[in-house]
Amino acid sequence: MTLSPTRPSAIGTPVARVEGPLKVTGTARYAVEYPVENVVYAWVVRSPVARGTLTNVETPEGADVLTTLWHANAPKLGEADDPELRVLQSPTISYRGQVVALVVAKTLEAARGAALSVELSIEEQEHDVLLTPDHPGLYTPEKVNPAFPSDTSAGDVEAALADAAATVDVTYETPALHNNPMEPHATTALWVGDDLVLYDSNQGPSAIGSQVAKIFELDASQVHVVAEHVGGGFGSKGSARPNAILAAMAARVVGYPVRLALPRQALFTMVGHRTPTIQRVRLGASSDGVLTAIAHDVVEHTSQLFEFAEQTAVVTRHMYAAPHRQTSHKLARLDVPTPRWMRAPGEAPGMVALECAIDELAASLGMDPIELRVRNEPTVEPEDGTPFSSRHYVECLRVGASRFGWETRPLQPRQRREGRWWVGTGVAGATYPSMVMPSTATVRIDPTRKVEVTVAAVDIGTGSRTVLHQIAADSLGVPLENVTVRIGDSSLPKASIAGGSSGSASWGWAVDGACRALREQLATMTGPVPAEGLSASFDTTPDVKTRENAGKHAFGAHFAEVRVDADTGEVRVSRLFGQYAVGRVLNPSTARSQFIGGMTMGMGMALHEESVLDVATGDWVNHDLAEYHVPAHADVEEIDAAWLDEEDLSVNPLGAKGIGEIGIVGSPAAIVNAIWHATGVRVRDLPVRLDKLLTAPAF
């Protein structure tokens, strides 16, 4: 049998999301919407103190209340790599908002009401939640996420700085940030004999199934995780969270299926956050702008329960050439929830400090900030000499500048005023590692040329489901409408998580490989496809294990124009533009959506988002979407993205790199740099609020 080799390519065309109709009609099912008989409801009780010991729980009574679980009566759990998942196993309270009890009732209203009436007896202890650059408990972790060395050095940074014609020594701070996906962390759990079924909102059913199985001391085959549609995650759903364990535990105790959706306030404590950072960046350069020294030293926090070290300074190891280099990370263990992944962990906050410091150096030299970046473009990885698989950073800067209209920009700040508004423009670089992770896919074709793709991937809103349709249609030469893709189920061929901008690159490789294997079968056939169909599978694990990761990155450049009210300090972003080099773009429509989504999140990081900690109580006080501010449609005046025609086959056979996170890397710095250009004021602690501008002497 032969397929159609001359069909127009589906890859590279702006195909609309195949699940779009389900979502806009409300028929796409999320974690707590699957039809399950005799379901009951759970509600979490969270600690009102940041540190202490729970000694007793007065449980509520009521006809609809089935049970209240706490450490004195909860079933014992097995070991876990993440102590946060061993819920209700200990009287020790490690942070405010930690789950200390769970009420299960016949109705959601009864569960919530009963949880509010639970009385806790707690021996409260003094807590420590404030991160400072000289915290007495600071230490150097062995590694930073996921497995990079904590510190690196080359040459003699101190001597090079002392000899430099121009230097910058600045400290930038970023606050704690919270992921806040639209769909909260939620689970519907039911036991079928000794097997567990979880309808769970997560970023990787295969991984979550394995984690949950270990905690309940089950074989992985006994846990079935379904996540067909997920309403966002931004990293916070990349591993099992307490809601899945609590729902499964409660279902085993009461003998009914249990639904648990965390309230918005619990998303500020139980599921992770981006650590606050204190970043000192020192740069030394010759009078013509050639960098001689780069030092990037970071202080951040982790919890008492589990060490998570964000790789904030790692991005500096890849961006610019300089013979004398230093990066370091230090942690303070505080009485706070454990930080976790948040969109572009490490790279997003790290590039704020680095790219703003580069801008400050350009200003001190009287040099265009694009030209300064170009003069320090490395030919190989700056720290180990590894060749780049592809690197089009300078081209992104040049092409992006032309499209943005950079050539008319005055060099000095505070030069352009339109009515009551000061106007300025800024630039910043962007980069993100190109990662692929092992995955397996199976593809089946029937006699009518209908194709079914199965892979335990998950689409968290990125459009990856649609991209997998396109890959299969192209590889097998069939119309797009002939392809069905089944994802979001741990019973399907094992797949990696949707994280690290690696989803489509990883799963697409597996799907393409399975299609190639199926084509080989078809090429040997002289007759039609048999009635039962033909199938083929492909596991990328052997190829991924032999693949060298070093030198593989996506790059880009961000450009921002801002207006700052001369009387009030109000900041408006007039234009935001990103120019990228991210390998082969498989779907321009979903790619652009991801780029501008990341850039919008970068705008939030620069101007809006800030989790405010009450040091006295250890609580995030703005723990809802009324007070945790994110950009709205009115904040995004003009935003656009473009990309170079690039293909990097060393990453995977499709030539595609990841695109989900690079939009947030660097875009906050471009906005902060534009604010300086408009006003002459450098704000080094994010977000840039109007009060920080109004109190600055230069304003």
Side-chain angles (χ1 to χ4, degrees):
M1 176 183 177
T2 59
L3 298 171
S4 303
T6 58
R7 285 195 57 81
S9 175
I11 292 178
T13 59
V15 176
R17 296 170 189 258
V18 296
E19 81 281 8
L22 294 176
K23 289 182 175 178
V24 299
T25 58
T27 52
R29 289 192 178 121
Y30 294 85
V32 295
E33 296 178 333
Y34 288 85
V36 176
E37 293 184 357
N38 301 316
V39 68
V40 298
Y41 297 85
W43 198 272
V44 291
V45 179
R46 298 178 297 123
S47 170
V49 306
R51 185 175 183 178
T53 302
L54 178 66
T55 59
N56 192 47
V57 172
E58 291 292 335
T59 59
E61 296 181 357
D64 289 335
V65 176
L66 299 176
T67 190
T68 299
L69 299 175
W70 58 297
H71 73 263
N73 64 357
K76 299 307 176 186
L77 299 173
E79 293 302 314
D81 296 331
D82 180 356
E84 292 268 20
L85 300 182
R86 300 194 77 251
V87 289
L88 308 184
Q89 302 296 291
S90 168
T92 301
I93 296 170
S94 300
Y95 58 85
R96 184 176 176 121
Q98 183 178 356
V99 61
V100 293
L102 184 75
V103 176
V104 186
K106 294 179 181 179
T107 67
L108 178 62
E109 293 78 8
R112 181 175 183 271
L116 291 173
S117 66
V118 168
E119 295 184 7
L120 306 174
S121 298
I122 297 174
E123 295 177 356
E124 187 174 0
Q125 302 168 7
E126 290 187 11
H127 61 260
D128 179 11
V129 297
L130 182 62
L131 180 66
T132 60
D134 56 353
H135 191 282
L138 287 177
Y139 71 97
T140 300
E142 290 186 7
K143 62 181 181 179
V144 293
N145 178 60
F148 296 113
S150 179
D151 299 351
T152 62
S153 64
D156 189 335
V157 167
E158 302 302 332
L161 288 170
D163 292 341
T167 59
V168 163
D169 185 346
V170 290
T171 298
Y172 278 82
E173 298 186 23
T174 61
L177 303 174
H178 282 84
N179 306 63
N180 277 309
M182 186 68 73
E183 180 194 17
H185 293 65
T187 308
T188 301
L190 60 149
W191 291 87
V192 182
D194 292 329
D195 293 346
L196 174 61
V197 179
L198 295 176
Y199 300 101
D200 183 66
S201 185
N202 65 70
Q203 294 177 224
S206 299
I208 273 64
S210 296
Q211 287 180 286
V212 173
K214 181 177 181 180
I215 292 168
F216 285 96
E217 299 179 326
L218 303 171
D219 186 82
S221 63
Q222 293 179 266
V223 180
H224 182 195
V225 180
V226 179
E228 187 177 355
H229 297 282
V230 177
F234 310 114
S236 67
K237 298 176 182 176
S239 60
R241 296 288 85 229
N243 50 283
I245 310 304
L246 289 165
M249 175 190 289
R252 174 170 272 180
V253 170
V254 301
Y256 295 104
V258 170
R259 278 190 174 144
L260 170 60
L262 295 182
R264 181 62 57 180
Q265 290 75 15
L267 269 60
F268 282 79
T269 56
M270 291 174 56
V271 298
H273 61 280
R274 194 194 300 283
T275 175
T277 70
I278 303 169
Q279 305 179 53
R280 184 187 182 192
V281 178
R282 294 177 293 160
L283 305 174
S286 61
S287 58
D288 59 353
V290 175
L291 286 167
T292 56
I294 300 175
H296 190 172
D297 302 299
V298 181
V299 173
E300 51 200 28
H301 77 207
T302 190
S303 74
Q304 300 285 359
L305 277 175
F306 183 67
E307 180 183 280
F308 181 86
E310 186 143 314
Q311 69 277 27
T312 307
V314 167
V315 69
T316 299
R317 301 172 188 174
H318 308 292
M319 283 302 292
Y320 302 111
H324 305 281
R325 318 178 61 85
Q326 172 183 303
T327 63
S328 72
H329 299 82
K330 292 191 181 301
L331 294 181
R333 283 195 179 274
L334 303 180
D335 301 312
V336 296
T338 305
R340 300 284 173 178
W341 303 308
M342 183 172 177
R343 198 174 204 171
E347 285 79 8
M351 283 289 272
V352 169
L354 175 64
E355 289 298 292
C356 287
I358 289 286
D359 203 68
E360 295 203 42
L361 179 63
S364 70
L365 290 166
M367 182 179 295
D368 180 85
I370 291 180
E371 183 59 31
L372 177 63
R373 288 170 169 83
V374 172
R375 290 190 186 186
N376 292 284
E377 172 71 351
T379 57
V380 294
E381 284 276 15
E383 297 214 344
D384 62 14
T386 301
F388 292 105
S389 63
S390 65
R391 179 178 169 115
H392 297 281
Y393 179 38
V394 169
E395 191 175 353
C396 287
L397 287 167
R398 297 295 196 204
V399 174
S402 176
R403 289 175 171 172
F404 185 76
W406 185 264
E407 67 278 359
T408 62
R409 177 188 189 267
L411 190 61
Q412 299 299 318
R414 207 176 173 91
Q415 298 296 306
R416 182 180 167 194
R417 183 157 173 170
E418 297 176 359
R420 73 175 197 268
W421 299 95
W422 289 107
V423 182
T425 53
V427 65
T431 188
Y432 197 77
S434 298
M435 294 184 283
V436 291
M437 292 186 273
S439 295
T440 303
T442 297
V443 179
R444 180 183 178 276
I445 192 167
D446 70 13
T448 66
R449 291 164 51 88
K450 298 289 187 182
V451 174
E452 182 185 64
V453 176
T454 54
V455 55
V458 66
D459 190 335
I460 58 174
T462 60
S464 55
R465 184 193 315 252
T466 304
V467 168
L468 296 181
H469 276 80
Q470 294 173 264
I471 292 170
D474 264 18
S475 186
L476 293 175
V478 300
L480 195 67
E481 57 269 22
N482 278 27
V483 178
T484 299
V485 175
R486 291 177 56 211
I487 62 172
D489 191 318
S490 65
S491 66
L492 301 176
K494 186 176 181 180
S496 59
I497 67 166
S501 297
S502 67
S504 293
S506 302
W507 314 323
W509 184 354
V511 170
D512 181 65
C515 289
R516 290 172 187 266
L518 186 57
R519 284 208 318 262
E520 291 177 4
Q521 289 187 50
L522 293 169
T524 64
M525 295 179 56
T526 56
V529 173
E532 66 274 16
L534 287 176
S535 65
S537 299
F538 188 76
D539 182 356
T540 67
T541 302
D543 296 315
V544 170
K545 285 183 176 179
T546 60
R547 174 185 175 273
E548 176 56 57
N549 290 316
K552 295 178 172 62
H553 311 268
F555 288 95
H558 289 117
F559 300 84
E561 179 185 82
V562 304
R563 306 190 315 277
V564 182
D565 191 296
D567 297 317
T568 67
E570 175 190 352
V571 178
R572 306 291 293 176
V573 178
S574 308
R575 293 187 293 144
L576 193 57
F577 174 68
Q579 177 71 53
Y580 303 99
V582 292
R584 187 183 186 191
V585 171
L586 304 176
N587 184 325
S589 178
T590 57
R592 182 179 183 276
S593 177
Q594 284 299 291
F595 288 137
I596 66 173
M599 293 159 67
T600 304
M601 204 167 178
M603 181 191 300
M605 191 174 182
L607 301 178
H608 304 282
E609 293 190 54
E610 178 182 19
S611 297
V612 179
L613 184 67
D614 180 353
V615 176
T617 64
D619 194 17
W620 308 110
V621 294
N622 56 332
H623 49 201
D624 56 42
L625 291 180
E627 295 178 321
Y628 183 89
H629 298 159
V630 297
H633 284 82
D635 294 304
V636 183
E637 297 186 5
E638 182 181 322
I639 185 168
D640 201 5
W643 48 90
L644 304 177
D645 186 13
E646 183 197 10
E647 185 177 76
D648 191 341
L649 295 176
S650 71
V651 175
N652 56 42
L654 299 168
K657 299 178 179 179
I659 60 174
E661 291 165 281
I662 196 171
I664 193 177
V665 180
S667 51
I671 294 170
V672 174
N673 290 337
I675 292 170
W676 168 81
H677 189 245
T679 65
V681 176
R682 290 280 183 190
V683 178
R684 299 189 181 99
D685 58 321
L686 269 55
V688 182
R689 298 194 308 263
L690 56 85
D691 58 300
K692 297 176 183 178
L693 292 170
L694 290 174
T695 57
F699 197 82

